[in-house]
Amino acid sequence: MRQIIVKQLDYDFTPVAGMNLVGHYLASIKPIFNKIDAVLFVKGCVAGAEFVRSYVRLLVQARSDFDAIKGYRGDTFNKTSLGICVLPSNSTPRQRMDARAPDLFDFSAQIIELLLASHRPDFGVLLCDWLPSDVDTFALDNGGIIKEIVGRAYASVDG
């Protein structure tokens, strides 16, 4: 049997290494974050861009509750990967969204357009020049309906 060696590394592992990729894309829309800072300026508080970056971090990890942000307080990887200087408290996102959410709607289309224009996805055309596609289908019960192409579906119904 092969021997297992256990050793302590001089760095920490993180289960959210994909945040680096999110941070990369957020860095590419920095001009829009500068506009957000100007529109959502609150004297003596966390900047608007910091709030948006923190909230995007929650959404990327499928966390919709604002209180989940307090779980990332001591996580330096969280801050550095997304370019966050100051992590807001868990009440700040709630208050900002209640008060200023309509001001953010103007930026959402700009952000989407900038991300899609600057990072074109490669869908990977196959060697035969076909484009792979993933289509989810389901069978409908069309029993008793007269149509041209109705046949037996896998659920033993006419579909």
Side-chain angles (χ1 to χ4, degrees):
M1 177 179 267
R2 204 169 139 195
Q3 184 181 5
I4 298 174
I5 301 171
V6 178
K7 62 181 179 178
Q8 178 68 39
L9 300 174
D10 58 347
Y11 54 88
D12 295 328
F13 281 111
T14 179
V16 290
M19 283 298 132
N20 273 335
L21 181 62
V22 174
H24 171 73
Y25 284 110
L26 290 179
S28 70
I29 58 172
K30 186 173 177 135
I32 294 177
F33 280 131
N34 294 337
K35 293 178 185 177
I36 289 173
D37 280 339
V39 171
L40 297 180
F41 178 75
V42 179
K43 187 176 181 178
C45 291
V46 176
E50 301 285 310
F51 151 70
V52 172
R53 282 185 177 102
S54 301
Y55 191 57
V56 165
R57 195 243 195 278
L58 293 177
L59 293 177
V60 165
Q61 291 211 289
R63 299 177 187 264
S64 58
D65 59 328
F66 298 116
D67 289 332
I69 204 165
K70 64 184 168 187
Y72 305 111
R73 279 248 165 251
D75 188 1
T76 56
F77 177 79
N78 173 46
K79 290 181 179 179
T80 56
S81 64
L82 296 179
I84 299 172
C85 295
V86 179
L87 192 67
S89 66
N90 53 337
S91 61
T92 301
R94 184 181 307 105
Q95 293 167 355
R96 293 272 179 98
M97 289 299 269
D98 286 344
R100 308 293 294 273
D103 297 333
L104 289 173
F105 294 152
D106 297 335
F107 295 105
S108 59
Q110 294 175 30
I111 290 171
I112 291 169
E113 288 174 11
L114 187 60
L115 284 173
L116 291 178
S118 62
H119 304 287
R120 295 187 176 195
D122 178 17
F123 293 109
V125 177
L126 300 175
L127 294 175
C128 60
D129 292 330
W130 289 13
L131 181 66
S133 171
D134 181 20
V135 179
D136 293 330
T137 62
F138 62 96
L140 295 173
D141 186 2
N142 290 325
I145 296 175
I146 300 173
K147 290 188 176 180
E148 285 185 27
I149 308 174
V150 174
R152 296 302 276 176
Y154 65 90
S156 296
V157 296
D158 288 336

